[in-house]
Amino acid sequence: MTQDVSFSTKTKQLIDSLKNVCANFGLGNDGNEFKIITQVFLYKYLNDKFRFELKKQKPKLAEVENLVQSLAAMEEEEYNFLLAGLDPSVVRLKPHQLISYLYNRQNKDNFGKTFDDTLRQISVENADVFSIKSSSGAKDKLFDELSQFITDPSQRDAFCRAIINKLFEFSFDESFEDYFQEKYDFFKDIFEYLIRDYNSDSGGKYAEYYTPNAVARIIANILVAGDVKQIRCYDPSVGSGALLMSLAHKIGENNCTIYSEDISQKSSTMLRLNLILNNLTHSIPNVIKTNTITQPFYLNKKFDYIVSNPPFKLDFSDFRDELEKDSFRERFFAGIPKVPKAKKESMAIYLMFIQHIMHSLNETGKAAVVVPTGFITAQSGIEKKIREAMIGRKMLRGVVSMPSNIFASTGTNVSVLFLDKQADPNKIVLVDASKLGKTLKEGKNQRTVLMPNEEQRIIDVMNEKRAEEDFSVVVTADEIITKNYSFSAGQYFEVKIKYVDITAGEFAEKMKSYTDTLDSLFAESHRLEEEIKKQLRGLRYE
């Protein structure tokens, strides 16, 4: 535990140091600061992971005093043979691309160009594994030319020296290398810390994409039962990938392949880092930057598991009319939201994602979708048509209504829909978890945090199909139809009236008490009436 804290603290210190470098060169809170921090952190991580894997492959390298010199002294054939033995998900580096080599070269002329060239070479030579594609097939760069973010050319060498010095200063010694085998449960704190300062308007509204760990854990533990292998997992609005990470770790990284789509470049960058930190590098080629609604890259692929926390409100009026074409009609069976006369940004784009998800499940597929709670009770419109389809197609497994403020970035109440192509229409579980959780203050926002026992309670009633008074109910599809397709647990709770047996004498005594009280109240009412009349008679016109 002490080592866990030490490693986490040291890594956060590295992130803070990189932020200080940016601030010292005029890039504090600059739009490019995010790119610099994430890319330099990634370079550091890949560098250390490469060193770690080399030493596993050839233990004698752990004993050498200067790793760079030892690697450089190898014959090309020997070095290539060493690289060939590494796992395909490990970055391939040359000796001159290691941090320690650059550290020793920092006083040479044009160091900024050397630094940029090094990162560019790493990007090109590892593009097949680490690049993200757009829907057109174009690949992005793993690293930008970071010195170019400094507008004053005379400061670029100094900026790159400052970066390489921080990376060298925070070298992780051998006692930390064990943590490269850890999973998301360890790295999640570092990841959250890394994006914390970018969860605001100035940093890019990244909180829109980040799903609380509690929600991600609940979804994974409800969706996945038993041992599953060769699984395709998909998120059409992936954000930073929190839902997919929890799902993959529940299934097992080697038992699943991740597929994702998102229109945001920042999202794709963070997801790539998340995949690398979580032993899921093999899925990076399946990360696609695209508009899932109009240009879905995986339209013809069906999935075993789909998870999504789609954007609830977003202006898509620019391409809304295009969706009316016949080619979209099968996928968007319930219709396309109309453009409101005011506040176009309030368009309910999540309704498109729900329909897309229903279309993308295979014959045994399962899905979990975060929706605004208003969706589950809407009495008409596209919302109701979608719910009718879920019941008609026998794919609703259950719904969990979450506590308010479960997302720190929005006060919108949310629920989670659980879909299953093999769901039992006679045992649909509806859960009202709105009263659970502890409220915490985070800056100007309030956030509700679920306790571990509360998470488990939600998971258990869903998986065991168990009814609990004022918490969960098990209903049939026919019952839901009679309630106008409402998915709200509260509308199905039994209203209980408590009866207490009393004797005839006790009954007479109670009735006398009620009569005496009424007589007293009536008498007081009569007194007040007379007083009011008296006051009125005393009024005079002047």
Side-chain angles (χ1 to χ4, degrees):
M1 183 64 179
T2 303
Q3 282 187 321
D4 285 4
V5 174
S6 175
F7 183 82
S8 180
T9 300
K10 191 167 186 177
T11 305
K12 291 175 181 179
Q13 288 172 350
L14 169 61
I15 294 169
D16 286 341
S17 293
L18 294 174
K19 289 179 180 177
N20 287 337
V21 170
C22 289
N24 291 338
F25 285 85
L27 293 172
N29 294 321
D30 183 272
N32 293 315
E33 182 190 26
F34 173 84
K35 293 182 180 180
I36 295 168
I37 298 296
T38 53
Q39 291 187 29
V40 172
F41 180 86
L42 178 57
Y43 172 51
K44 170 65 176 167
Y45 181 87
L46 293 176
N47 179 93
D48 289 2
K49 184 69 181 288
F50 176 72
R51 291 166 58 97
F52 170 68
E53 295 293 340
L54 279 186
K55 292 174 185 177
K56 278 197 340 183
Q57 182 75 8
K58 191 172 183 178
K60 287 185 178 181
L61 290 175
E63 302 171 5
V64 301
E65 185 174 342
N66 190 317
L67 181 63
V68 172
Q69 287 184 359
S70 297
L71 295 178
M74 289 184 183
E75 296 289 339
E76 183 178 357
E77 184 177 351
E78 180 186 5
Y79 191 74
N80 289 336
F81 181 79
L82 182 62
L83 295 183
L86 299 178
D87 187 276
S89 65
V90 177
V91 69
R92 268 57 175 169
L93 300 178
K94 293 182 172 63
H96 68 271
Q97 296 168 340
L98 296 175
I99 289 173
S100 54
Y101 178 87
L102 291 176
Y103 176 79
N104 291 325
R105 298 271 302 178
Q106 64 176 292
N107 293 321
K108 301 289 185 180
D109 291 339
N110 298 318
F111 180 72
K113 183 177 184 304
T114 300
F115 186 72
D116 287 343
D117 288 345
T118 299
L119 296 185
R120 186 188 309 109
Q121 290 169 5
I122 295 173
S123 296
V124 172
E125 293 165 3
N126 293 274
D128 289 345
V129 175
F130 291 95
S131 287
I132 294 168
K133 293 184 294 187
S134 67
S135 57
S136 66
K139 293 183 176 182
D140 77 340
K141 295 183 295 184
L142 184 59
F143 299 112
D144 290 305
E145 296 178 0
L146 299 184
S147 76
Q148 300 305 303
F149 292 126
I150 303 296
T151 55
D152 182 356
S154 68
Q155 292 294 308
R156 289 172 181 170
D157 287 354
F159 174 68
C160 293
R161 287 191 196 102
I163 288 176
I164 208 67
N165 274 293
K166 291 301 181 185
L167 296 185
F168 188 81
E169 176 185 338
F170 282 85
S171 291
F172 297 150
D173 58 40
E174 291 180 0
S175 65
F176 291 127
E177 289 184 345
D178 292 340
Y179 292 100
F180 287 122
Q181 300 181 45
E182 294 294 331
K183 298 181 183 179
Y184 183 71
D185 287 342
F186 173 74
F187 281 114
K188 68 179 177 63
D189 293 332
I190 296 171
F191 185 78
E192 287 185 60
Y193 187 78
L194 183 63
I195 69 172
R196 182 191 60 188
D197 291 343
Y198 305 99
N199 282 351
S200 62
D201 289 347
S202 61
K205 291 186 177 180
Y206 211 85
E208 291 176 357
Y209 303 106
Y210 198 78
T211 306
N213 291 320
V215 176
R217 283 191 296 266
I218 289 169
I219 287 175
N221 281 283
I222 290 174
L223 280 185
V224 183
D227 294 331
V228 291
K229 295 181 179 180
Q230 304 301 313
I231 294 299
R232 289 177 173 176
C233 303
Y234 172 60
D235 189 333
S237 55
V238 69
S240 63
L243 289 174
L244 280 177
M245 297 305 103
S246 282
L247 185 64
H249 291 317
K250 179 66 177 177
I251 295 170
E253 299 89 340
N254 295 326
N255 294 327
C256 68
T257 303
I258 281 175
Y259 299 82
S260 71
E261 295 175 281
D262 201 295
I263 200 170
S264 166
Q265 181 62 54
K266 181 180 285 187
S267 165
S268 299
T269 299
M270 291 307 296
L271 177 61
R272 171 166 52 198
L273 177 56
N274 217 351
L275 291 171
I276 293 170
L277 294 182
N278 287 281
N279 298 329
L280 290 160
T281 302
H282 62 275
S283 288
I284 290 177
N286 302 325
V287 176
I288 304 297
K289 178 186 175 298
T290 189
N291 183 330
T292 309
I293 302 303
T294 59
Q295 295 178 304
F297 189 82
Y298 294 118
L299 181 61
N300 297 319
K301 192 180 288 289
K302 303 295 183 180
F303 299 95
D304 302 289
Y305 290 95
I306 302 178
V307 288
S308 182
N309 175 20
F312 293 169
K313 299 177 181 180
L314 193 68
D315 179 5
F316 63 99
S317 57
D318 287 348
F319 57 85
R320 190 259 173 214
D321 291 345
E322 180 184 349
L323 302 176
E324 294 283 7
K325 295 178 180 177
D326 290 343
S327 57
F328 291 98
R329 194 153 294 169
E330 179 184 356
R331 187 161 49 122
F332 302 127
F333 61 89
I336 316 296
K338 294 180 180 179
V339 179
K341 293 181 180 179
K343 293 185 177 180
K344 290 183 180 181
E345 67 275 9
S346 67
M347 294 179 71
I349 194 171
Y350 78 94
L351 297 173
M352 312 303 297
F353 279 98
I354 296 175
Q355 296 176 78
H356 175 78
I357 288 167
M358 293 172 68
H359 177 81
S360 301
L361 285 171
N362 65 21
E363 291 304 312
T364 59
K366 300 174 177 59
V369 192
V370 180
V371 299
T373 293
F375 167 83
I376 68 176
T377 56
Q379 296 297 296
S380 60
I382 297 174
E383 294 91 336
K384 187 181 177 186
K385 289 181 181 179
I386 293 174
R387 297 201 312 272
E388 289 174 347
M390 290 177 179
I391 296 299
R393 299 178 190 182
K394 299 179 180 179
M395 61 190 304
L396 181 66
R397 177 183 171 186
V399 178
V400 177
S401 295
M402 291 291 181
S404 59
N405 298 315
I406 194 75
F407 287 79
S409 57
T410 175
T412 302
N413 291 336
V414 303
S415 296
V416 183
L417 305 175
F418 289 91
L419 307 179
D420 186 340
K421 281 294 201 67
Q422 297 180 319
D424 184 348
N426 294 313
K427 291 185 178 180
I428 299 169
V429 185
L430 306 179
V431 180
D432 180 3
S434 61
K435 298 180 180 66
L436 300 184
K438 178 180 179 181
T439 301
L440 300 178
K441 188 80 170 176
E442 291 190 354
K444 297 180 181 180
N445 298 321
Q446 283 191 333
R447 181 179 181 184
T448 302
V449 178
L450 292 171
M451 299 297 103
N453 63 309
E454 293 175 324
E455 290 182 33
Q456 195 59 50
R457 184 184 181 192
I458 295 171
I459 293 166
D460 288 344
V461 296
M462 279 293 298
N463 289 341
E464 297 170 11
K465 301 183 186 302
R466 190 175 74 231
E468 287 189 12
E469 186 175 346
D470 294 332
F471 182 68
S472 63
V473 63
V474 181
V475 299
T476 66
D478 289 339
E479 289 177 291
I480 289 178
I481 293 172
T482 61
K483 292 284 189 180
N484 201 28
Y485 294 91
S486 172
F487 291 175
S488 174
Q491 295 195 23
Y492 299 86
F493 288 152
E494 182 180 356
V495 178
K496 295 184 178 181
I497 302 175
K498 293 184 179 180
Y499 295 93
V500 180
D501 291 333
I502 59 175
T503 64
E506 290 172 332
F507 176 77
E509 185 178 345
K510 282 182 177 292
M511 294 306 295
K512 184 178 183 304
S513 174
Y514 296 151
T515 301
D516 291 344
T517 299
L518 285 173
D519 287 343
S520 175
L521 292 173
F522 290 156
E524 177 66 13
S525 173
H526 181 69
R527 186 188 68 77
L528 291 173
E529 290 171 1
E530 292 301 319
E531 181 67 25
I532 292 170
K533 290 178 182 179
K534 181 180 177 181
Q535 295 294 331
L536 286 174
R537 285 194 294 268
L539 293 176
R540 295 289 184 271
Y541 174 77
E542 295 183 6

